[in-house]
Amino acid sequence: MTKVDFLLHDGLITGFTITDHAEEGSDILCAAISSAAYMTVNTITDILGIVVGVEVKDGYMEVKLEEEDAPKAKAILDGFQLHIQGLKEEYDEFIKIKISEV
C-alpha cells in the first residue's frame, strides 16, 4: 500500500512524504503518484524558485518547504493533494492518506 502523509503548519501544506509501493497489479497508481509528485517538486523549485528539501529512495520521497515558503507554493501543493485524493477515490485499497500537523 502506498502511503502519502501531508505535513501541515497553520493550515498550509509544508511538505509531504510518500512511502511504499502499491501492490502488484496497481503499477499505474505508482506511476501516477510519482509523476504528480515530481511535477509538484519541479514546479516549486524550477518555476517558483523555492528551495525545498527533497530525499528520494526506492519507494520513498520526502519533500519539505520552509514555513515562510508555504504560502507561495500553496496552489501547487493544494493541487497535488487534490490529485492524490482523486487517486484514492479510484484506488482506495492501494493508497492511504494521512494529514500530520507539524
Side-chain angles (χ1 to χ4, degrees):
M1 174 172 284
T2 301
K3 298 170 194 87
V4 183
D5 185 8
F6 290 95
L7 309 173
L8 265 64
H9 180 78
D10 290 336
L12 293 174
I13 300 171
T14 58
F16 57 88
T17 304
I18 303 169
T19 55
D20 300 326
H21 288 288
E23 285 78 25
E24 191 168 327
S26 61
D27 294 343
I28 190 80
L29 176 61
C30 283
I33 292 171
S34 293
S35 178
Y38 278 104
M39 185 201 72
T40 299
V41 172
N42 290 337
T43 301
I44 291 169
T45 58
D46 297 347
I47 304 299
L48 299 179
I50 297 172
V51 176
V52 300
V54 179
E55 183 179 348
V56 178
K57 297 183 238 178
D58 185 42
Y60 180 86
M61 176 185 256
E62 180 181 68
V63 176
K64 290 186 179 179
L65 284 78
E66 296 294 328
E67 292 172 14
E68 62 269 10
D69 290 327
K72 298 176 218 166
K74 181 180 180 349
I76 187 68
L77 288 166
D78 287 351
F80 176 64
Q81 184 180 28
L82 286 172
H83 184 73
I84 296 300
Q85 288 171 335
L87 289 172
K88 180 166 177 46
E89 289 174 13
E90 286 197 43
Y91 299 94
D92 186 54
E93 66 274 15
F94 298 110
I95 185 168
K96 180 178 179 181
I97 297 174
K98 180 179 172 187
I99 309 291
S100 298
E101 287 285 336
V102 291

